[in-house]
Amino acid sequence: MTDLYPLRRALLSVSDKTGLIELGQALAKRGVELLSTGGSAKTLRDAGLNVKDVSEVTGFPEMMDGRVKTLHPKVHGGLLALRDNDDHVAAMDEHGIGAIDLLVVNLYPFEAALARGADYAEMIENIDIGGPAMIRASAKNHGFTTTIVDVEDYDALLAELEANDGQTSYAFRQKMAQIAYARTGAYDAAVSTWMADAIGETAPRRRVFAGEIKQTLRYGENSHQQAAFYTDGSARPGVATAVQLQGKELSYNNINDTDAAFELVAEFDPAESPAVAIIKHANPCGVATGATLVEAYQKAFDCDRTSAFGGIVALNQPLDAETATKIVEIFTEVVIAPGASDEAKEIFAAKKNLRLLLTDGLPASRAALTAFKQVSGGMLVQDKDVGYVGLDDLKVVTEKAPTEDQMRDLLFAWKVAKHVKSNAIVYVKDSATVGVGAGQMSRLDSANVAASKAERMAKELGLPETLAKGSAVASDAFFPFADGLLEAAAAGATCVIQPGGSMRDQEVIDAANENGLAMVFTGMRHFRH
């Protein structure tokens, strides 16, 4: 094996014909013999190129609706033969096998069929067999053969040939082989995951996760950690599919926090009211709805102005000029919204470091998704928490029932608590958070943190009493003791929403009755670790 190896014969068989003609023309100019199949061959011939059908090489026609065309020793032998092995060369001569130095294949559009909701039969027909087999054979023999599986690598191939007088280097073939195996791995992962879902297998024996690089990040959570951002190919609106109009490159933490913000704000139907969520370190520091987007932003900002500095802002409606003007009054890292007016874009343009991300819509808050987390030696896999509680799901457990306004705030608080790190306590008044306690080791501490924030902000706003006065409070899991509930009552809360289910539920209910609180149980918890 030598470092540089010439391209004399190429097999081009692609589903995506983008750039195929230009590639074929460039190869033909270098005297490379072109082999091809079906539609690829027709595309090349229609462009005036001389192409030999693979069926001419194998002596067998394409058959079974194209299911069988390249699965033949004269194809795989041409890809796999070691050119410096005398036995391999002798076998090629004996059986009339010509070497194939370049393979260009992209696979049947299985992922595209999945994205458009194709039925079972169509999905089966979009499972490529010959393509992955050829890719794996060619990539294995990268000492001699070059394997191209992505349209975006056509230019790199041509640049390599130009730099090396029609030859490819070993380093280039290695790199393309790695890309090729990653592609077949991701393809098989998509097929196996789809089939598990199709047959209702919720915990398959083997599970594969795959992604495609979107961005190499400067670093991870901290500067000493390497990181990259991969997409899963889904069309779900959010940070992975958003268009960034301005601002510097997103960091690892920006992406994580922006995702948290947008998933939270999507809990609020834009047809009902504008909503704004402000996130810091993946936790909400202010969430509100309002009659207008700017009102919602102001209410969210007034929950915790200190934490909002350098935060992430997510909107459930397109950004308008008035809201944009308000947002740029303080330093904000990222704004994500389902659209923006031209006037709003102009206002943001003056803030060069402010990232503006626009999406085609909001993610469906109740869509079935899979979430996973790495642990030492394995993965934890679960359904994404899309649990929903409506008015009819609530059970009043106290002597006093919540009023209509209190019920509205209780449900609002419950939606927010779902997105706060556990232990989570959320105070809400007039459809706006007024205190958020997140990630404490005890529920009592979370209640205390949230209450202290509500009191501090009241002083900052020049108000005579805490923002928590008359508020609704949500707890993401049950109160194990009455102390957390009593802390909320002392802070000024008048009603409570919690899952229930503790051995001491009656103790907590009695404490609520003694303090004049209305309380409802959801029967569902929202731990978020």
Side-chain angles (χ1 to χ4, degrees):
M1 182 195 73
T2 59
D3 178 58
L4 293 174
Y5 199 82
L7 296 190
R8 302 185 183 94
R9 199 164 180 243
L11 172 52
L12 288 69
S13 180
V14 295
S15 174
D16 180 357
K17 308 298 191 293
T18 304
L20 176 62
I21 292 173
E22 293 80 5
L23 177 62
Q25 291 170 335
L27 293 173
K29 283 181 181 179
R30 291 191 171 277
V32 178
E33 181 186 2
L34 303 182
L35 309 180
S36 194
T37 62
S40 298
K42 182 179 185 304
T43 298
L44 292 167
R45 282 200 189 94
D46 289 347
L49 291 166
N50 185 23
V51 182
K52 181 181 286 189
D53 281 315
V54 166
S55 58
E56 294 181 56
V57 175
T58 64
F60 278 85
E62 293 186 17
M63 61 181 72
M64 301 176 186
D65 299 319
R67 283 190 172 201
V68 179
K69 52 191 173 188
T70 59
L71 297 169
H72 194 280
K74 288 194 174 181
V75 173
H76 286 269
L79 293 169
L80 281 165
L82 297 172
R83 309 329 190 233
D84 59 357
N85 183 302
D86 291 342
D87 289 340
H88 286 209
V89 173
M92 292 173 74
D93 291 341
E94 181 182 352
H95 298 287
I97 297 173
I100 299 173
D101 308 309
L102 169 66
L103 177 73
V104 180
V105 169
N106 55 56
L107 303 173
Y108 290 177
F110 182 88
E111 294 99 333
L114 179 62
R116 70 170 181 269
D119 62 21
Y120 191 91
E122 185 179 353
M123 292 302 300
I124 292 296
E125 289 308 309
N126 272 284
I127 298 175
D128 203 329
I129 303 301
M134 288 191 294
I135 289 170
R136 292 178 64 81
S138 177
K140 176 176 181 175
N141 201 29
H142 62 267
F144 302 96
T145 60
T146 303
T147 313
I148 304 294
V149 296
D150 291 323
V151 172
E152 52 261 46
D153 288 325
Y154 290 179
D155 287 343
L157 170 65
L158 296 179
E160 177 78 2
L161 295 176
E162 182 66 26
N164 296 298
D165 193 25
Q167 304 175 95
T168 59
S169 65
Y170 183 64
F172 181 80
R173 296 192 299 274
Q174 275 187 312
K175 181 178 180 180
M176 293 301 107
Q178 186 279 320
I179 292 171
Y181 281 123
R183 178 66 188 110
T184 57
Y187 194 80
D188 286 341
V191 173
S192 64
T193 299
W194 163 78
M195 184 161 278
D197 290 340
I199 66 175
E201 184 61 70
T202 57
R205 181 179 300 162
R206 293 181 178 87
R207 191 152 202 162
V208 186
F209 301 93
E212 183 173 351
I213 189 76
K214 180 180 176 69
Q215 180 184 342
T216 300
L217 303 171
R218 287 175 295 152
Y219 54 83
E221 283 185 280
N222 302 289
S223 59
H224 60 276
Q225 295 173 267
Q226 293 185 341
F229 182 28
Y230 289 82
T231 60
D232 63 10
S234 67
R236 183 176 176 83
V239 66
T241 55
V243 175
Q244 183 173 346
L245 292 193
Q246 66 170 65
K248 56 187 178 182
E249 187 178 78
L250 292 168
S251 70
Y252 181 101
N253 293 326
N254 291 152
I255 293 168
N256 186 56
D257 291 352
T258 302
D259 178 69
F262 206 51
E263 290 291 330
L264 169 51
V265 86
E267 296 276 359
F268 300 95
D269 187 348
E272 293 181 1
S273 62
V276 172
I278 306 175
I279 294 286
K280 194 72 168 288
H281 301 308
N283 270 308
C285 53
V287 186
T289 59
T292 63
L293 203 57
V294 70
E295 179 186 324
Y297 172 77
Q298 189 64 56
K299 288 167 68 176
F301 178 61
D302 285 344
C303 175
D304 187 350
R305 292 182 173 184
T306 301
S307 299
F309 185 86
I312 311 292
V313 176
L315 319 173
N316 74 340
Q317 292 183 359
L319 177 67
D320 56 50
E322 189 177 6
T323 309
T325 300
K326 203 69 182 172
I327 290 173
V328 298
E329 289 180 357
I330 68 161
F331 169 59
T332 300
E333 288 274 10
V334 181
V335 175
I336 183 169
S341 69
D342 290 340
E343 294 84 355
K345 293 175 187 176
E346 289 178 11
I347 293 166
F348 271 23
K351 299 289 184 179
K352 300 299 183 184
N353 289 332
L354 172 58
R355 292 98 157 177
L356 175 59
L357 304 182
L358 300 183
T359 69
D360 289 334
L362 294 173
S365 62
R366 299 185 216 172
L369 296 170
T370 301
F372 58 95
K373 180 183 294 186
Q374 185 176 10
V375 297
S376 180
M379 287 270 190
L380 287 171
V381 181
Q382 65 174 351
D383 294 336
K384 181 180 171 66
D385 184 3
V386 295
Y388 173 78
V389 169
L391 190 62
D392 293 339
D393 301 309
L394 301 180
K395 178 183 178 183
V396 178
V397 295
T398 48
E399 296 167 0
K400 181 182 288 186
T403 66
E404 184 177 335
D405 287 345
Q406 286 176 326
M407 278 293 196
R408 182 195 65 233
D409 280 349
L410 287 170
L411 288 171
F412 185 103
W414 185 248
K415 287 181 179 179
V416 176
K418 174 181 170 182
H419 295 264
V420 178
K421 300 287 186 177
S422 191
N423 291 306
I425 294 291
V426 179
Y427 293 87
V428 166
K429 187 175 181 180
D430 298 330
S431 298
T433 56
V434 293
V436 179
Q440 301 301 308
M441 283 62 75
S442 79
R443 204 154 297 279
L444 174 62
D445 287 341
S446 290
N448 184 271
V449 168
S452 66
K453 287 188 173 186
E455 189 169 356
R456 188 187 72 218
M457 273 307 304
K459 291 178 180 177
E460 186 173 335
L461 294 170
L463 300 176
E465 56 186 5
T466 174
L467 295 179
K469 183 73 173 181
S471 65
V473 64
S475 173
D476 64 338
F478 62 66
F479 286 101
F481 303 98
D483 54 1
L485 179 131
L486 293 174
E487 178 69 27
T494 58
C495 53
V496 179
I497 184 169
Q498 60 133 319
S502 168
M503 293 177 59
R504 294 183 174 83
D505 271 351
Q506 193 56 54
E507 175 188 326
V508 177
I509 293 169
D510 291 343
N513 285 328
E514 290 170 11
N515 286 270
L517 300 176
M519 185 162 65
V520 296
F521 282 2
T522 64
M524 175 189 295
R525 77 178 187 201
H526 282 310
F527 273 152
R528 187 178 182 87
H529 292 111

